Amino acid sequence: MAEIKKVKNFPHIDIHPSLKDKLKAVQSILQSEKYHELYIAEKDGNAIALALSWLNTFHPSAKYIRFFAGEEQEENVYIYELLAPLLGSKSTQDKWIYSCCSNEKDNIAIVEEKGFHLFRRTFEETVGVTWMLQHLDSQTIDEKITPLKEVMSDLKKKQQFLSKIKTDYEQTHADNPVGCFTLTEWEEILRNDCPDESRSSVLFIEEEIAAYIMLHPGDTENHYEIGWVGLDQTKQDIKLLKQLLFSQLQMLKDNGVQTVGIEADSTNPVARGLFDFLELNKRKSWNSYILK
């Protein structure tokens, strides 16, 4: 029989070998002791199951949780005992969020039994640049495409763009609201995300933002990541956004980039529309479940 214990110092815990590999996903949180709460099921001096929570200042109203158990089937029983204090504790947060891969059926069944429901699917794929170019509208955009670097050096355009990304992010994260940040703080958030300011683009039409796509250098010189994307709120012209992406991908290809990584949330209709030809709903996803 295992004993359920609340732990303050993770480095002092002896972890059973069957559990150790499973903790790699949260290793940085555990090693840096940035968790909010940490509970273990301990048997014969070793942790055989573990559950933790942590907080996120960017989304301050939620408590994030993960749980893990060793290989033996009976150890999953302790997950329920570990979740009881984790979900029972009161704090300034008003919701719990659990995320996992869409194929982790056992864990999904556990959280659904606890009352969680799916509220977001996140799709991450790596796609060949040449293949993507073949599936996008190649029509040239008549309007001038402005590099992010130029936008950020023009006070009016910078304010417009920061307001736009702030609004877009807030609208696509309504279930788990972002904290209150000033435009100055949003500029820091943007820069910390390290977009390529020469290749990230904003399209202005009649001095209003019609579309934007952020590009980020990847781990290798022949790979890039597609980051935040957005459209004018009223027109929502997906065709225009696809044309903008085509021009960016052509530029990347001309500079030797072979693959791009994409990330699209089910809560973001613009991203879903931009990548609709990938049929993401048929693919594996990172699922997030919420309990209020």
Side-chain angles (χ1 to χ4, degrees):
M1 190 71 181
E3 178 186 2
I4 305 300
K5 299 171 65 175
K6 186 174 184 179
V7 180
K8 289 187 176 181
N9 303 112
F10 173 77
H12 299 160
I13 303 172
D14 291 322
I15 307 295
H16 192 277
S18 67
L19 177 62
K20 189 169 292 185
D21 283 345
K22 296 187 176 185
L23 298 180
K24 288 180 180 178
V26 292
Q27 198 67 33
S28 62
I29 296 175
L30 292 171
Q31 293 293 351
S32 61
E33 299 186 68
K34 290 183 178 179
Y35 43 81
H36 182 62
E37 300 155 302
L38 177 62
Y39 292 90
I40 64 169
E42 187 178 68
K43 185 177 182 180
D44 299 327
N46 290 310
I48 59 171
L50 178 150
L52 75 156
S53 70
W54 68 93
L55 307 180
N56 181 343
T57 55
F58 201 49
H59 294 276
S61 64
K63 184 190 293 186
Y64 297 81
I65 69 167
R66 293 291 299 273
F67 52 82
F68 307 89
E71 297 300 334
E72 295 182 26
Q73 186 62 36
E74 66 176 35
E75 291 172 1
N76 282 328
V77 174
Y78 296 116
I79 292 296
Y80 292 93
E81 295 184 47
L82 292 169
L83 285 177
L86 208 60
L87 300 179
S89 61
K90 298 293 184 182
S91 63
T92 56
Q93 287 69 41
D94 60 10
K95 61 184 71 70
W96 292 266
I97 291 177
Y98 173 78
S99 300
C100 67
C101 193
S102 55
N103 61 5
E104 296 182 42
K105 303 301 183 183
D106 290 344
N107 287 352
I108 292 171
I110 289 173
V111 295
E112 288 183 335
E113 184 179 332
K114 289 292 184 180
F116 285 74
H117 69 269
L118 177 67
F119 78 99
R120 183 177 65 238
R121 298 179 68 194
T122 299
F123 302 92
E124 296 183 3
E125 298 289 338
T126 297
V127 189
V129 170
T130 300
W131 185 90
M132 284 194 75
L133 285 168
Q134 294 168 351
H135 289 78
L136 290 168
D137 189 343
S138 60
Q139 181 178 336
T140 303
I141 296 175
D142 294 329
E143 306 292 334
K144 178 180 182 292
I145 299 172
T146 307
L148 179 62
K149 185 176 182 178
E150 185 177 326
V151 172
M152 299 304 284
S153 63
D154 181 302
L155 182 59
K156 180 183 176 182
K157 288 181 177 179
K158 181 173 76 170
Q159 295 293 97
Q160 278 181 277
F161 182 63
L162 293 174
S163 295
K164 176 63 174 165
I165 61 172
K166 176 180 183 293
T167 298
D168 286 352
Y169 192 92
E170 289 171 346
Q171 290 181 345
T172 56
H173 291 78
D175 285 307
N176 183 22
V178 67
C180 296
F181 299 99
T182 65
L183 290 188
T184 300
E185 290 171 317
W186 270 97
E187 180 176 359
E188 183 179 358
I189 291 166
L190 173 65
R191 293 192 186 280
N192 287 342
D193 206 30
C194 300
D196 183 330
E197 295 195 18
S198 297
R199 292 173 175 171
S200 296
S201 303
V202 184
L203 180 63
F204 289 87
I205 297 180
E206 296 178 354
E207 298 187 345
E208 297 294 331
I209 295 174
Y212 66 86
I213 299 176
M214 298 294 100
L215 297 178
H216 305 259
D219 294 334
T220 64
E221 61 182 16
N222 60 3
H223 178 77
Y224 257 67
E225 299 284 336
I226 300 173
W228 288 342
V229 302
L231 278 174
D232 174 80
Q233 290 291 339
T234 53
K235 296 179 181 177
Q236 293 286 298
D237 190 348
I238 287 292
K239 182 179 179 181
L240 184 65
L241 193 65
K242 289 185 176 183
Q243 291 170 352
L244 178 59
L245 180 58
F246 182 92
S247 69
Q248 289 178 305
L249 291 177
Q250 188 62 62
M251 174 180 58
L252 291 178
K253 182 181 178 182
D254 291 344
N255 285 274
V257 176
Q258 298 174 5
T259 58
V260 289
I262 68 107
E263 179 178 317
D265 287 339
S266 61
T267 55
N268 188 337
V270 173
R272 292 205 321 270
L274 177 60
F275 301 119
D276 56 4
F277 56 92
L278 293 174
E279 298 185 312
L280 293 173
N281 281 334
K282 297 179 181 180
R283 300 176 184 242
K284 184 173 66 174
S285 60
W286 183 254
N287 289 0
S288 293
Y289 297 79
I290 192 168
L291 174 66
K292 295 184 179 180

